[in-house]
Amino acid sequence: IPTISTTQFLGDSPAFSVNAAEESTKLIYSTDFEDGDTSKFTGRGGVEVISATTEQAKSGSKSMKVTGRTKNWNGPQFLLDGILTPGEQYTVSLSAKTSWYNNITVSLEYTDSSGERKYPTLASATCDGSGWCDFSNIKFSMPEDVTKVYVYVQCNDQADIYVDDFEIRTAPVYSIEQDITSLKDAYSKYFKIGTAVTTDELAPKSTKDLILKHFNSVTLGNELKPDAILDKNATLATGSETNPQVNIASARSILNFCRDNNIPVRGHVLVWHSQTPDWFFKEGYSETGNWVTKEVMLQRMENYIKNVMEAIEKEYPTVDFYAWDVVNETWLDDGSPRKGGTQAENPNYSGWLKIFGDNSFIEPAFEYARKYAPKGCKLYYNDFNEYMPQKTDAIYNMAMELKEKGLIDGIGMQSHLDVSFPKVSYANNTPSYAKALDKFASTGLDIQITELDITTSDISESGFEKQAQVYSDIMDLCVKYADNISSVVFWGTTDDKSWRSAKYPLLFNEDYTAKPAFYSIVDGLESVTTTTTTTSTTTTTTTTEPSLPDIYGDINGDHKVDSEDALLLQKFILGEITFSKEESKRADLTEDGNINVYDLSLLKHRIHLPAPRS
């Protein structure tokens, strides 16, 4: 599951957040355009006309006006090179409006060390064309080894853009709570306690301090996924159809931190349908090329895995890669393989399935990983909705076949949960999560909880207490199965940086204070007794998991939540269609009164499509 590493949730602060900034922020640059100077801004397309105008103003009497746009991506950009320091966190604030109803986005653009341009979105808002959209204190950072870094504004169609009150500051710095229990210490006799982090998320000193206090395992949220490290230009330069090249520059900030602080790392992920570029599967490494044969793809797979492991060994020989997710998310909830196709056709399609016709690529992936992975590194199959009964069975059967051949060491249970779904504890009538954990334990393989987060729509005190109870139930189960579990990883550090930030899924607030969920999993821990609970059953269950108790996401009202609903929501956000009152209700998954990319992210997760990412 992808991480939205640069999106700042623009909503009310959650309850229980009491920490004050350690030091005031420092102003880097600001303008309200009252002096008529727009010289610091340039047009991304070279066709834009940028000027100060009295036609519109959020404050004062003037704003910046951008006309002459011929493409959606045309708009004003502000150069950050030379005024900001890579690896540190900043905020950007501005107000923007357009000449008609539109979707406005604020993004970064930069060139990475392999020469590719990157365009991570920072924030997005739908505006009605009459009022201003405020983008306040959007956090971001410049990665290391990048050049030509800009923050820019764009909108759909060729509408004129107005910008006012533009400001860049250093981000606030918070002191973490040093006087509370350390998670890694509390669970030291049971299993590792890990977190996932992105380069942007790691930038603040506060995040580094939080990780050092509470976690003894780190997963890179995006930076070791195929699209982050596959180097197309270097691959083409080889002239080889079977030897894709890699560049791990995107991972260096995090890996340097882990190396310098002796923190073990989970590698994530080698073989995956998502966040893998389509050209990787095509002749000539071209998006428009024909699909390669199985034989060629097997050679590409082996060389890719080999090159990843060699790059890691060369640059980070002292980092303990104690686990790798070899294959990720190949099974659908009904226990069948995915459909084959390109990501351009459907983000849920798999290039691996298109070439192989089935999941027969899984075994060679583990063979190659076993051949090239660092000594002592354990190999895992990783998936979400792993508690759906038919999917549980599919993973179990696959894992047992791989175990018999000595190719797999463990199963990764992602565990992206909600306070109301699925059932967690045996205290419930349908404990699907507990049943899945029990069945995976019966394989005799290691289990890792790899991407744990638990969302809640209720941010009242009682809502957070309910979230705390579910977290407590999950961790009680993990302790109960501690003989089978070697690591529990939370997918992110603080709520505001989570890919599910709209529903506050983690243990720490934006200001790094601990939430009730944190205290629920450390209080009384010593009273929990560890027991071995593996079973030997291989019976196939046919029970079904109840649907979420609401209509959210079923935009077209056909009693299904699927890609058709996602397409409608995407068209609405892009301003191509409008919604009726009832459709708007179904589309507002975050229940915040707005329909935007946060709702699209949640909808895509519900139907197992990749969420937007940095």
Side-chain angles (χ1 to χ4, degrees):
I1 296 290
T3 300
I4 305 177
S5 64
T6 52
T7 301
Q8 169 76 6
F9 176 60
L10 308 177
D12 296 332
S13 296
F16 312 103
S17 180
V18 297
N19 196 17
E22 181 178 285
E23 58 186 55
S24 60
T25 63
K26 178 183 177 182
L27 179 65
I28 304 297
Y29 176 82
S30 70
T31 179
D32 57 9
F33 305 102
E34 293 302 304
D35 60 2
D37 183 13
T38 62
S39 61
K40 294 291 187 180
F41 296 83
T42 57
R44 300 187 69 224
V47 297
E48 300 91 338
V49 178
I50 300 177
S51 62
T53 181
T54 57
E55 295 176 11
Q56 303 281 348
K58 176 63 189 295
S59 64
S61 61
K62 293 181 181 178
S63 67
M64 178 174 66
K65 182 179 182 181
V66 183
T67 62
R69 300 174 61 249
T70 60
K71 304 288 186 182
N72 286 0
W73 55 268
N74 292 163
Q77 61 185 7
F78 180 86
L79 184 64
L80 300 174
D81 292 38
I83 66 171
L84 302 188
T85 302
E88 296 187 9
Q89 192 175 56
Y90 301 89
T91 65
V92 59
S93 299
L94 60 93
S95 295
K97 73 183 299 291
T98 55
S99 50
W100 59 75
Y101 184 93
N102 222 306
N103 188 65
I104 300 175
T105 59
V106 180
S107 304
L108 285 183
E109 177 181 1
Y110 57 83
T111 300
D112 66 16
S113 61
S114 67
E116 291 191 23
R117 295 296 283 172
K118 303 290 186 179
Y119 310 92
T121 297
L122 300 181
S124 178
T126 301
C127 301
D128 62 9
S130 61
W132 289 82
C133 288
D134 296 325
F135 297 88
S136 300
N137 299 315
I138 307 167
K139 293 177 182 176
F140 72 95
S141 66
M142 293 169 48
E144 298 179 23
D145 300 324
V146 299
T147 57
K148 299 179 182 177
V149 187
Y150 294 90
V151 59
Y152 67 90
V153 181
Q154 70 177 59
C155 68
N156 299 326
D157 308 317
Q158 285 75 57
D160 295 340
I161 301 175
Y162 299 88
V163 176
D164 204 357
D165 299 334
F166 180 88
E167 180 179 272
I168 294 178
R169 288 183 172 272
T170 58
V173 177
Y174 299 98
S175 296
I176 71 164
E177 297 170 304
Q178 293 287 1
D179 58 345
I180 61 176
T181 302
S182 163
L183 286 172
K184 65 182 179 183
D185 291 345
Y187 286 91
S188 61
K189 69 179 182 180
Y190 301 115
F191 34 67
K192 283 184 171 67
I193 293 291
T195 187
V197 69
T198 63
T199 297
D200 177 75
E201 190 174 1
L202 184 64
K205 178 179 181 297
S206 308
T207 302
K208 295 182 177 71
D209 291 343
L210 191 78
I211 293 174
L212 292 174
K213 177 175 176 62
H214 290 290
F215 303 104
N216 52 13
S217 168
V218 163
T219 303
L220 284 71
N222 286 315
E223 290 79 359
L224 283 177
K225 291 175 180 175
D227 64 349
I229 62 176
L230 274 169
D231 190 334
K232 185 176 182 180
N233 292 332
T235 299
L236 290 171
T238 66
S240 169
E241 274 288 292
T242 59
N243 192 19
Q245 300 297 295
V246 301
N247 185 328
I248 63 171
S250 62
R252 286 190 183 120
S253 293
I254 301 175
L255 293 181
N256 289 345
F257 173 74
C258 293
R259 176 198 61 202
D260 296 344
N261 293 282
N262 197 29
I263 301 175
V265 173
R266 288 195 87 256
H268 179 75
V269 54
L270 295 173
V271 175
W272 190 24
H273 72 282
S274 182
Q275 288 183 253
T276 302
D278 289 337
W279 60 260
F280 183 58
F281 302 99
K282 300 295 191 71
E283 292 180 353
Y285 303 105
S286 169
E287 286 85 353
T288 59
N290 294 323
W291 296 93
V292 299
T293 63
K294 292 181 183 180
E295 291 72 23
V296 169
M297 200 65 229
L298 284 172
Q299 293 178 71
R300 286 187 183 182
M301 178 197 285
E302 178 172 8
N303 285 324
Y304 171 69
I305 292 174
K306 175 176 179 286
N307 292 339
V308 170
M309 297 304 178
E310 287 182 349
I312 292 295
E313 175 61 26
K314 179 180 179 181
E315 293 196 41
Y316 296 97
T318 62
V319 173
D320 176 17
F321 280 85
Y322 74 98
W324 269 96
D325 291 328
V326 178
V327 180
N328 201 45
E329 301 176 2
T330 64
W331 299 102
L332 299 176
D333 286 355
D334 63 2
S336 64
R338 292 182 176 274
K339 292 183 179 180
T342 67
Q343 293 288 285
E345 291 176 281
N346 187 319
N348 207 29
Y349 287 174
S350 168
W352 296 102
L353 266 294
K354 180 68 175 180
I355 291 174
F356 287 84
D358 53 27
N359 277 343
S360 59
F361 63 89
I362 295 176
E363 183 174 322
F366 276 92
E367 288 177 354
Y368 302 144
R370 182 70 81 200
K371 182 177 180 180
Y372 298 110
K375 183 179 179 181
C377 177
K378 292 185 177 182
L379 308 180
Y380 294 80
Y381 174 81
N382 191 53
D383 216 324
F384 67 97
N385 283 4
E386 62 283 355
Y387 44 78
M388 302 298 282
Q390 292 166 302
K391 194 172 198 175
T392 301
D393 292 338
I395 295 172
Y396 172 90
N397 293 332
M398 172 203 67
M400 292 302 288
E401 292 178 6
L402 293 171
K403 179 187 177 184
E404 185 177 348
K405 297 176 181 179
L407 297 176
I408 191 172
D409 297 303
I411 298 171
M413 299 177 66
Q414 289 185 14
S415 306
H416 293 293
L417 312 176
D418 183 77
V419 292
S420 61
F421 185 83
K423 301 297 184 182
V424 172
S425 170
Y426 275 112
N428 296 286
N429 292 327
T430 54
S432 55
Y433 190 91
K435 286 182 177 179
L437 181 53
D438 189 68
K439 184 154 190 171
F440 293 150
S442 74
T443 65
L445 294 168
D446 184 53
I447 298 171
Q448 293 189 347
I449 312 301
T450 57
E451 304 181 21
L452 178 60
D453 52 22
I454 303 173
T455 55
T456 177
S457 298
D458 182 358
I459 60 173
S460 67
E461 182 175 354
S462 62
F464 280 114
E465 290 295 344
K466 182 178 180 181
Q467 181 188 50
Q469 184 59 56
V470 180
Y471 260 115
S472 178
D473 290 343
I474 284 287
M475 295 307 291
D476 283 351
L477 271 174
C478 291
V479 169
K480 181 179 180 181
Y481 284 85
D483 287 347
N484 308 98
I485 296 174
S486 63
S487 180
V488 174
V489 177
F490 297 87
W491 198 250
T493 51
T494 57
D495 276 343
D496 63 305
K497 303 305 291 186
S498 167
W499 73 291
R500 308 171 84 189
S501 60
K503 291 193 175 183
Y504 305 96
L506 296 171
L507 303 178
F508 297 95
N509 293 305
E510 178 180 355
D511 64 359
Y512 298 90
T513 53
K515 295 165 58 182
F518 169 87
Y519 293 103
S520 76
I521 67 172
V522 296
D523 289 350
L525 182 63
E526 292 299 318
S527 64
V528 179
T529 302
T530 307
T531 59
T532 303
T533 55
T534 57
T535 67
S536 59
T537 179
T538 58
T539 303
T540 300
T541 178
T542 58
T543 58
T544 58
E545 184 67 38
S547 299
L548 288 171
D550 54 47
I551 61 168
Y552 296 118
D554 181 20
I555 297 172
N556 60 11
D558 64 355
H559 305 293
K560 296 185 295 183
V561 179
D562 54 24
S563 58
E564 292 183 7
D565 297 299
L567 181 60
L568 288 174
L569 183 50
Q570 183 169 310
K571 287 183 176 181
F572 175 86
I573 293 172
L574 293 176
E576 298 176 3
I577 61 174
T578 59
F579 282 162
S580 66
K581 182 178 180 179
E582 182 62 27
E583 289 171 333
S584 296
K585 179 180 179 181
R586 295 172 183 271
D588 184 15
L589 279 77
T590 60
E591 299 175 292
D592 62 357
N594 298 307
I595 301 173
N596 51 36
V597 292
Y598 299 121
D599 301 292
L600 182 60
S601 174
L602 292 174
L603 176 57
K604 286 186 173 182
H605 176 60
R606 186 169 178 188
I607 59 177
H608 322 315
L609 300 178
R613 61 184 185 274
S614 64

